[in-house]
């Protein structure tokens, strides 16, 4: 039987992890993500899982990656400064193809910034924080029920594509309390990583990807011995310094994500059917945008919302399509304008794209979005 | 078992020759490691070897276990994760003085503090060999280094004392020259339940020896022979006499609760529903 509870977003993440079969958490306390660690320190041992608070943020992700190699489903959670510290090992997970879910409950930055205030300033860091070319998947919930659902989803994607997945939250959704209906966890399909079908002596850790480009992964201790390295490697996992190996590995890492955009990229449309102008908003800001759309409609303005749920990879097709359908797009975000640049790139001139940015520790109010919309309409009318 | 047989049994086919310079002591120390593993009788499938970054850490790729060549300084977090996820596995960490004592220093003291059952074999060559001989936290004061052309001002760690102070329950030092004894120490460290550090005094004739005019590889090994003393003999020396000597052998051993065993009790308690 499902149960209905009043729950905080961060707690819903912890519940989602357990529902997905996660059995390992390594991390370091940091506001505003700490409740996730606190919840899991209580929950994980009850299911035979392991929680450990490490000496720093780097160790928090490192210990989780070690546990993932030994077959656990793992999580680490942090906020801005900690997310910066974890970047090197996020790249390691991408290159060595180690599944992990990394939660970042964003706060105002840079540096210590405003630890308790909402922000969406890590959108680009989530995409490009670690060095070098690499693909990344990042999901961004807008509600407490979605914190639960997208945590489960993050495990599905991470295990299926053998890749780090970032759950990019903001302080609004992390600390908000809402009603959430939790299904019985036994009814939730547990994502399993692809296991090798060949005997151990024939196992090559980075081979046998076949059509989905994801090689099967054996757990340490299961009788399949293999080598893991952050160096560019051959199909056995051993270092290969050739240019050919570098290019082939990077091409496959990107292709395994880009060939599956239909599976990975999720967006939501709100009242877009006949919309003449649209907001693009994500995370906590999208909640404001729903309200602004309704207010605009009451005034006779045909407004709608496109909400990227998968924030990376970019919902390029959906955004471009939107650009062809409406006269104007307004991107709303709690930063000085990060995602707007990507939206502009995808829209490629099909319609004007403007920014409604806020970065004064406060969430954007529906009236502010409505005002931005009215202003663009006036401009368009006057032109 | 002869070294040939040990190589046959524990090294990956086709991975040798190694990348180490001629005369480097890393091969001797890695040889002592497989000898110790063989003596203890570890199963290859049930053993993980986790390394950081640096010359010594490359050994992980040559050895036929569950192996990780992790990021610089991060071998201990990875190893801790493997041990927590699979407490039945033997987890051995291969690291160097720069890897473990500088960039990974925080992980080093905290892994020791937890007394988690890891065996850390630290190849101490007193330098950053792979990047060409910059000074490390274990380079003796007044040494020449690629980043200290006028000599180093820094004072080196006493790593054994640091580990003990941080909570390690098995601390030993050996040297490449005393390879059979080193194998004994590693075997004892693997058998010990808790955090074990075996510091292996290595020699890097290329990046460190040359700059400090320490002679060729045999000369550097002879230096180890002439400056190492069994721990009990060392303790009897005056401070002045100790100055250019170093103690080898088991330096400290104690019993203390081991982390994964203690955490298993937490799981049992949580599953019974008690806080
Ligand atoms: S640089 Fe020094 S430590 Fe590194 S392989 Fe060469 S001799 Fe050995």
């Amino acid at each position: 039987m499902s149960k209905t509870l009043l729950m905080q977003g961060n707690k819903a993440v912890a519940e989602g992890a357990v529902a997905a079969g996660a059995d390992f958490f390594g991390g370091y306390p940091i506001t505003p993500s700490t409740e996730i660690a606190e919840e899991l320190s209580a929950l994980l041992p009850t299911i035979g899982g392991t929680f450990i608070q490490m000496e720093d943020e780097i160790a928090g992700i490192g210990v989780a990656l070690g546990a993932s190699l030994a077959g656990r489903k793992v999580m680490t959670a942090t906020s801005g400064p900690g997310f910066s510290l974890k970047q090197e090992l996020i790249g390691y997970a991408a290159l060595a193809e180690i599944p992990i879910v990394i939660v970042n409950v964003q706060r105002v930055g840079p540096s210590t910034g405003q630890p308790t205030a909402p922000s969406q300033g890590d959108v680009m860091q989530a995409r490009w924080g670690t060095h070098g070319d690499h693909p990344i998947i990042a999901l961004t919930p807008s509600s407490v029920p979605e914190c639960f659902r997208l945590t489960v989803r993050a495990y599905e994607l991470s295990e299926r594509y053998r890749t780090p997945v970032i759950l990019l939250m903001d302080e609004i959704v992390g600390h908000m309390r809402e009603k959430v209906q939790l299904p019985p966890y036994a009814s939730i399909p547990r994502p399993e990583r692809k296991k090798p079908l060949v005997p151990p002596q024939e196992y090559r850790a980075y081979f046998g990807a076949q059509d989905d480009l994801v090689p099967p992964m054996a757990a340490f201790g299961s009788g399949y011995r293999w080598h893991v390295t952050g160096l560019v490697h051959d199909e056995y996992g051993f270092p290969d310094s050739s240019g050919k190996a570098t290019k082939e590995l990077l091409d496959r890492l990107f292709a395994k994500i880009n060939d599956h955009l239909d599976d990975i990229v999720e967006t939501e449309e709100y009242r877009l059917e006949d919309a003449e102008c649209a907001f693009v908003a994500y995370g906590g800001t999208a909640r404001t945008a729903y309200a602004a759309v309704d207010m605009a409609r009451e005034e006779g303005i045909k407004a709608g919302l496109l909400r990227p749920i998968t924030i990376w990879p970019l919902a390029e097709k959906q955004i471009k399509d939107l650009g062809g359908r409406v006269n104007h797009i307004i991107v709303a975000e709690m930063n000085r304008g990060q995602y707007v640049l990507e939206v502009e790139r995808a829209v490629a001139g099909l319609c004007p794209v403007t920014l409604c940015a806020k970065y004064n520790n406060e969430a954007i109010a529906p009236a502010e979005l409505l005002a931005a919309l009215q202003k663009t309409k006036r401009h368009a009318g006057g032109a | 078992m002869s070294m040939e047989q040990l190589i046959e049994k524990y090294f990956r086919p086709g991975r040798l020759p190694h990348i180490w310079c001629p005369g480097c002591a890393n091969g001797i120390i890695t040889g002592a490691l497989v000898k110790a593993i063989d003596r203890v009788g570890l199963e290859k499938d049930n053993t993980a070897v986790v390394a950081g970054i640096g010359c010594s850490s490359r050994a992980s790729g040559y050895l036929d276990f569950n192996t990780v060549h992790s990021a610089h300084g991060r071998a201990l977090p990875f190893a801790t994760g493997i041990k927590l996820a699979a407490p039945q596995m033997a987890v051995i960490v291969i690291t160097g003085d720069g890897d473990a004592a500088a960039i990974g220093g925080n992980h080093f003291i905290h892994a020791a503090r937890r007394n988690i059952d890891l065996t850390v074999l630290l190849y101490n060559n007193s330098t950053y060999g792979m990047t060409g001989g910059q000074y490390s936290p274990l380079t003796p004061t007044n040494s020449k280094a690629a980043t200290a052309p006028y000599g180093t001002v820094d004072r080196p760690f006493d790593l054994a004392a640091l580990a003990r102070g941080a909570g390690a329950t098995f601390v030993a030092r050996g040297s490449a020259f005393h390879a059979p004894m080193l194998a004994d120490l590693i075997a004892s460290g693997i058998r010990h339940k808790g955090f074990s550090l075996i510091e292996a005094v290595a020699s890097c004739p290329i990046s460190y020896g040359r700059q400090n005019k320490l002679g060729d590889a045999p000369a550097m090994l002879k230096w180890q022979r002439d400056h190492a003393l069994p721990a009990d003999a060392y303790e009897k020396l005056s401070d002045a006499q100790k100055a250019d000597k170093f103690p080898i052998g088991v330096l400290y051993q104690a019993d203390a609760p081991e982390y994964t065993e203690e955490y298993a009790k937490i799981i049992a308690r949580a599953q019974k529903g008690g806080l």
Side-chain angles (χ1 to χ4, degrees):
Chain A
M1 225 178 64
S2 63
K3 15 171 206 181
T4 307
L5 298 162
L6 183 70
M7 192 177 277
Q8 186 201 52
N10 281 345
K11 175 154 168 68
V13 169
E15 291 290 340
V18 171
D23 51 5
F24 193 96
F25 181 96
Y28 186 82
I30 183 167
T31 304
S33 78
T34 313
E35 294 86 359
I36 299 171
E38 289 174 354
E39 290 294 336
L40 286 171
S41 72
L43 284 175
L44 286 178
T46 65
I47 55 160
T50 307
F51 169 91
I52 187 165
Q53 182 175 312
M54 294 298 282
E55 57 273 14
D56 59 34
E57 294 278 3
I58 301 170
I61 181 170
V63 77
L65 290 176
S68 184
L69 288 172
R72 298 286 190 103
K73 286 199 186 84
V74 305
M75 174 179 275
T76 188
T78 189
S79 181
F83 194 51
S84 298
L85 285 166
K86 291 185 195 297
Q87 291 299 333
E88 184 196 7
L89 291 186
I90 293 175
Y92 190 94
L95 187 99
E97 298 179 76
I98 307 174
I100 181 171
V101 174
I102 302 136
V103 187
N104 174 12
V105 187
Q106 298 165 88
R107 62 192 233 187
V108 174
S111 191
T112 311
Q114 297 281 8
T116 56
S119 163
Q120 295 175 314
D122 301 350
V123 170
M124 283 298 168
Q125 196 191 6
R127 177 64 197 89
W128 290 116
T130 197
H131 63 283
D133 285 328
H134 60 280
I136 199 79
I137 298 176
L139 311 178
T140 175
S142 284
S143 67
V144 174
E146 212 168 61
C147 286
F148 179 85
R149 183 179 73 81
L150 290 187
T151 303
V152 176
R153 176 84 179 129
Y155 279 99
E156 255 168 44
L157 294 171
S158 172
E159 297 289 329
R160 181 173 310 150
Y161 297 108
R162 211 178 145 175
T163 191
V165 172
I166 293 163
L167 190 67
L168 191 64
M169 316 239 299
D170 51 61
E171 195 274 340
I172 297 176
V173 283
H175 280 165
M176 151 201 309
R177 275 165 214 276
E178 270 185 318
K179 214 160 68 172
V180 54
Q181 209 173 20
L182 299 182
Y185 294 174
S187 72
I188 294 175
R190 300 223 160 161
E192 294 302 334
R193 59 186 77 153
K194 214 200 285 178
K195 298 270 161 39
L197 299 170
V198 297
Q201 45 306 356
E202 286 168 34
Y203 179 56
R204 285 177 271 175
Y206 296 95
F207 178 77
Q210 287 158 346
D211 3 333
D212 68 356
L213 302 175
V214 184
M217 181 173 178
F220 275 22
S222 68
Y224 290 77
R225 299 189 300 276
W226 56 291
H227 185 58
V228 188
T229 178
L231 286 166
V232 168
H233 43 267
D234 62 18
E235 58 200 28
Y236 288 90
F238 296 120
D240 184 336
S241 53
S242 70
K244 183 170 171 284
T246 308
K247 182 170 185 313
E248 280 179 5
L249 178 57
L250 280 179
D251 284 347
R252 181 175 63 74
L253 290 182
F254 273 88
K256 80 174 175 180
I257 303 300
N258 290 340
D259 286 4
H260 298 100
L261 294 181
D262 286 348
D263 177 34
I264 296 167
V265 173
E266 188 185 347
T267 57
E268 185 195 61
E269 297 195 354
Y270 181 66
R271 303 186 83 168
L272 271 182
E273 311 79 49
D274 59 342
E276 290 166 356
C277 49
F279 294 109
V280 171
Y282 52 89
T285 304
R287 305 176 67 91
T288 304
Y290 292 120
V293 167
D294 292 344
M295 286 159 71
R297 291 261 171 185
E298 268 166 38
E299 289 188 14
I301 307 172
K302 286 184 179 167
L305 164 68
L306 177 72
R307 178 166 75 92
I309 295 171
T310 304
I311 197 160
W312 302 116
L314 186 74
E316 210 151 336
K317 204 171 69 183
Q318 292 84 341
I319 293 170
K320 186 173 181 192
D321 174 64
L322 181 70
R325 279 157 66 190
V326 298
N327 301 326
H328 196 108
I329 291 174
I330 299 175
V331 178
E333 47 187 343
M334 287 185 286
N335 56 47
R336 285 182 47 94
Q338 297 191 14
Y339 210 59
V340 65
L341 302 171
E342 289 289 301
V343 174
E344 269 175 10
R345 184 173 66 75
V347 166
L350 287 173
C351 77
V353 176
T354 53
L355 168 69
C356 179
K358 197 162 178 186
Y359 42 93
N360 65 348
N361 298 355
E362 285 170 19
I364 304 176
E368 289 173 280
L369 272 188
L370 183 64
L373 189 62
Q374 286 161 335
K375 193 168 139 203
T376 55
K377 280 209 63 95
R378 271 200 306 278
H379 279 249
Chain B
M1 219 182 252
S2 71
M3 200 28 104
E4 284 69 34
Q5 290 168 312
L6 287 169
I7 289 175
E8 176 77 13
K9 183 166 177 193
Y10 294 108
F11 282 66
R12 286 180 165 131
R15 303 319 307 170
L16 294 176
H18 54 67
I19 62 155
W20 296 320
C21 311
C24 176
N26 286 355
I28 302 174
I29 297 168
T30 309
L33 171 62
V34 291
K35 207 175 280 178
I37 287 174
D38 191 65
R39 194 167 314 154
V40 179
L42 297 183
E43 294 280 340
K44 292 203 280 190
D45 284 342
N46 204 33
T47 303
V49 175
V50 184
I53 296 290
C55 292
S56 56
S57 289
R58 284 300 189 98
S60 59
Y62 308 140
L63 298 170
D64 190 13
F65 301 94
N66 302 278
T67 55
V68 188
H69 179 223
S70 74
H72 195 29
R74 314 304 169 206
L76 279 164
F78 275 77
T80 299
I82 293 166
K83 185 70 189 178
L84 284 167
Q88 77 286 357
M89 285 183 87
V91 182
I92 295 166
V93 172
I94 289 179
T95 182
D97 43 308
D99 195 55
I103 192 164
N106 200 29
H107 309 315
F108 181 78
I109 54 174
H110 287 275
R113 173 178 63 79
R114 287 184 199 106
N115 195 37
I116 186 163
D117 188 19
L118 304 173
T119 305
V120 177
L121 176 59
L122 188 146
Y123 297 51
N124 176 10
N125 63 0
S126 309
T127 192
Y128 288 86
M130 188 159 266
T131 46
Q134 300 76 25
Y135 59 97
S136 89
L138 290 174
T139 306
T141 312
N142 296 323
S143 302
K144 289 278 168 53
T147 42
Y150 308 105
T152 51
V153 176
D154 298 48
R155 301 189 308 157
F157 272 135
D158 177 341
L159 209 65
L162 178 68
R164 180 179 172 175
T169 48
F170 181 94
V171 179
R173 186 185 290 112
S175 86
F177 179 84
H178 305 85
M181 177 197 192
L182 179 61
D184 289 342
L185 294 171
I186 300 170
S188 303
I190 294 171
R191 286 196 186 102
H192 175 80
K193 190 166 274 305
F195 185 89
S196 310
L197 168 71
I198 299 98
E199 177 189 340
V201 176
S203 44
C204 166
I206 303 302
S207 289
Y208 182 69
R210 255 190 214 159
Q211 294 189 80
N212 289 288
K213 305 201 169 35
L214 300 177
D216 57 8
M220 288 186 78
L221 287 173
K222 275 184 207 140
W223 181 89
Q224 294 174 12
R225 178 194 66 191
D226 297 339
H227 292 79
L229 273 181
D232 46 353
Y234 177 86
E235 281 315 316
K236 295 195 185 100
L237 300 182
S238 68
D239 283 354
Q241 288 168 315
K242 279 179 180 167
D244 76 333
K245 297 276 191 288
F246 62 91
I248 53 172
V250 177
L251 305 179
Y252 177 71
Q253 189 163 9
D255 278 332
E258 191 276 326
Y259 194 91
T260 59
E261 289 187 351
E262 294 304 302
Y263 198 80
K265 294 179 194 165
I266 297 282
I267 292 177
R269 227 158 77 201
Q271 292 192 323
K272 266 194 230 126
L275 271 183

